[in-house]
Amino acid sequence: MIDKAKLAGVFVRRKITELSENKNGSAVRAALARLRRGIGKAPGSMPELWSVTLDGLPEPLLGKGNIPSPGEWAVHTALTLYALHQQGKDLKKECMNRDGESLGAAVRNLAQSDEDRESAVTRRFNAAATSDSFEEFSRHLRGLVELLKSENLPLDYPSLAEDLYRFQFPEQRDGIRLKWGQDFYHMPNDESQDNEA
């Protein structure tokens, strides 16, 4: 059986790599600006995004007919939020995509970056995680990405694409929420070893 969530993550990784390896800086900035304009819009509704969000999309992720598939939503949402996160930063020197920085871990780092707003960040994260729909979750996620951007804290966008794919299926939401909670409350190895001594 094909793991469509993994396919979405692999596709997002490839697209971010293509952007970061492109030597034409003005073309990359233009592509990111177009992607930002796609935030909150339906996949496929903006022809200027097709080359980034649909070109080369694996067959199992493609929708049938005129309704975007879960794969198309996951890829579109991850790439448009990545473009928002990357805005104003040099893609080669300050890439806001980083392997291993899951949503829970990135928000934990955000909450720990400022004690005064730790409870506010936690409340926002909880509101996102308990969303009952993909649309509601995406709105909350945008706010979290804007906060991560303001603190220059990266996020693993291929992993986020996988989570976005799975979140669209009610029977998988609690598993994704559990993963986010584990990552949010998990202490990195160096801290947990210090506490054991």
Side-chain angles (χ1 to χ4, degrees), residues 77-96:
T77 304
L79 287 172
T80 56
L81 289 175
Y82 166 72
L84 172 66
H85 201 164
Q86 193 62 49
Q87 185 178 20
K89 296 172 178 33
D90 185 312
L91 191 56
K92 305 231 186 297
K93 296 177 186 169
E94 213 177 0
C95 185
M96 290 293 104

Side-chain angles (χ1 to χ4, degrees), residues 5-188:
K6 291 274 186 214
L7 280 179
V10 168
F11 181 79
V12 166
R13 179 178 312 285
R14 188 179 65 183
K15 290 299 182 171
I16 291 173
T17 299
E18 286 174 9
L19 288 167
S20 65
E21 291 178 353
N22 189 328
K23 305 231 185 288
N24 185 341
S26 61
V28 170
R29 285 188 296 279
L32 291 171
R34 286 191 307 273
L35 281 167
R36 283 191 295 275
R37 287 192 295 275
I39 294 173
K41 296 194 170 68
S45 65
M46 298 176 65
E48 62 268 29
L49 300 185
W50 293 348
S51 65
V52 181
T53 61
L54 296 175
D55 184 26
L57 191 67
E59 183 75 29
L61 297 180
L62 288 172
K64 308 289 186 258
N66 59 1
I67 297 174
S69 70
E72 289 166 337
W73 272 111
V75 164
H76 176 88
T77 304
L79 287 172
T80 56
L81 289 175
Y82 166 72
L84 172 66
H85 201 164
Q86 193 62 49
Q87 185 178 20
K89 296 172 178 33
D90 185 312
L91 191 56
K92 305 231 186 297
K93 296 177 186 169
E94 213 177 0
C95 185
M96 290 293 104
N97 176 60
R98 182 171 303 149
D99 288 347
E101 289 295 325
S102 68
L103 181 60
V107 174
R108 177 191 64 234
N109 292 337
L110 177 64
Q112 292 174 346
S113 70
D114 184 348
E115 286 182 25
D116 293 336
R117 74 170 166 192
E118 182 174 357
S119 64
V121 168
T122 302
R123 275 194 311 276
R124 286 183 99 159
F125 187 44
N126 290 343
T130 58
S131 297
D132 289 327
S133 71
F134 185 80
E135 295 76 20
E136 180 187 358
F137 173 66
S138 296
R139 281 193 305 277
H140 287 297
L141 185 57
R142 179 181 182 172
L144 289 169
V145 167
E146 288 171 338
L147 289 172
L148 291 169
K149 175 186 171 188
S150 72
E151 295 294 323
N152 292 319
L153 294 170
L155 179 61
D156 186 332
Y157 279 89
S159 175
L160 179 65
E162 292 180 30
D163 291 349
L164 288 166
Y165 182 87
R166 290 187 175 107
F167 191 85
Q168 294 174 75
F169 300 93
E171 68 277 6
Q172 294 187 39
R173 282 188 194 146
D174 284 343
I176 294 299
R177 290 174 177 137
L178 174 62
K179 178 182 155 220
W180 292 335
Q182 290 167 336
D183 291 347
F184 183 78
Y185 286 102
H186 173 76
M187 278 199 285

